[in-house]
Amino acid sequence: MRGEPSCPKCGGRVRAPGLFRDSWQCAVHGTVHPVQPVIPPGVEALGVVVHRTRVPVWMPWPLPVGWLFTGVACAGDDRSGGRATAVACSGPGPLGGPGELILVAEELGVGLGARYAGLDAPDPGPYLDVGRPPETKVLAAGRPTPLWNVTGAPPDRAVFAGEALGIWLWAVVWPERSGPLMYDELVLTDLRDAGAEVELVPCGALSPRLLQP
């Protein structure tokens, strides 16, 4: 992901559009929206994604005490615009030790959230029991947004998903014991609407979670 566009579903190399095809291609997953190379966390990185994307760029704002913005990724290209965004934050876990959170907003079928969640299907639908009450709620762009626990994820992380502004919202937390972070009534801001406040975001080192294959 750091040096060239990659597949949002597997992290593999993708072939750029050419004379005989008008879309990005993964050898395994066919037509995809490529994940653009990740750049170090900072106002510049956020600005690039915010101006490219067609979907929200969710961030807890204000950030939990001691937490930092640690990177952002975007799936899509200049022609189609961003179809998925992933924002990483890191800080002290609610039960002690370091914690990490990646928030993904994506259109149907992109697969970036499932990749961070460690799932095979591109969307969380098959892994959600929406017939039962949600495990938690966040306030996303001022709207109460229910999130359900995603079953089938690897045991090292806690995964939640739901819909916000008509598209998928994923929350992936490492380690699994830091999952209670999602029960703290997080307020999520779409950074496309944050304006000059983006310059106030505290930044840390790039999260290796964003670069995972």
Side-chain angles (χ1 to χ4, degrees):
M1 287 174 64
R2 188 186 286 268
E4 59 185 23
S6 63
C7 174
K9 299 176 181 178
C10 67
R13 298 182 63 181
V14 290
R15 296 166 59 190
L19 184 61
F20 300 106
R21 59 183 183 275
D22 60 1
S23 60
W24 292 82
Q25 298 289 318
C26 169
V28 176
H29 296 102
T31 299
V32 296
H33 295 292
V35 178
Q36 299 301 320
V38 174
I39 56 180
V43 174
E44 177 187 359
L46 282 174
V48 168
V49 172
V50 165
H51 287 98
R52 172 185 289 157
T53 185
R54 297 171 55 175
V55 301
V57 184
W58 296 119
M59 178 181 284
W61 193 254
L63 283 166
V65 175
W67 280 64
L68 302 171
F69 161 62
T70 52
V72 62
C74 179
D77 56 23
D78 291 335
R79 183 183 62 177
S80 64
R83 302 304 184 93
T85 61
V87 173
C89 302
S90 303
L95 300 180
E100 295 192 66
L101 166 68
I102 290 182
L103 292 169
V104 176
E106 66 180 356
E107 295 180 354
L108 187 70
V110 175
L112 186 60
R115 174 176 160 190
Y116 292 126
L119 302 172
D120 290 331
D123 299 306
Y127 303 95
L128 300 181
D129 183 3
V130 296
R132 57 180 294 176
E135 272 71 26
T136 187
K137 291 184 179 180
V138 297
L139 198 65
R143 301 177 183 180
T145 301
L147 298 178
W148 285 266
N149 182 60
V150 177
T151 60
D156 66 334
R157 69 202 73 180
V159 183
F160 303 85
E163 291 187 35
L165 299 184
I167 63 172
W168 290 120
L169 166 61
W170 297 77
V172 187
V173 186
W174 291 267
E176 187 274 338
R177 68 191 301 267
S178 291
L181 172 72
M182 298 304 301
Y183 298 92
D184 288 343
E185 299 182 352
L186 286 183
V187 176
L188 305 185
T189 294
D190 182 356
L191 294 182
R192 297 178 300 173
D193 302 326
E197 285 194 41
V198 170
E199 299 181 5
L200 303 177
V201 173
C203 302
L206 178 64
S207 170
R209 301 287 185 187
L210 279 179
L211 305 175
Q212 68 182 35

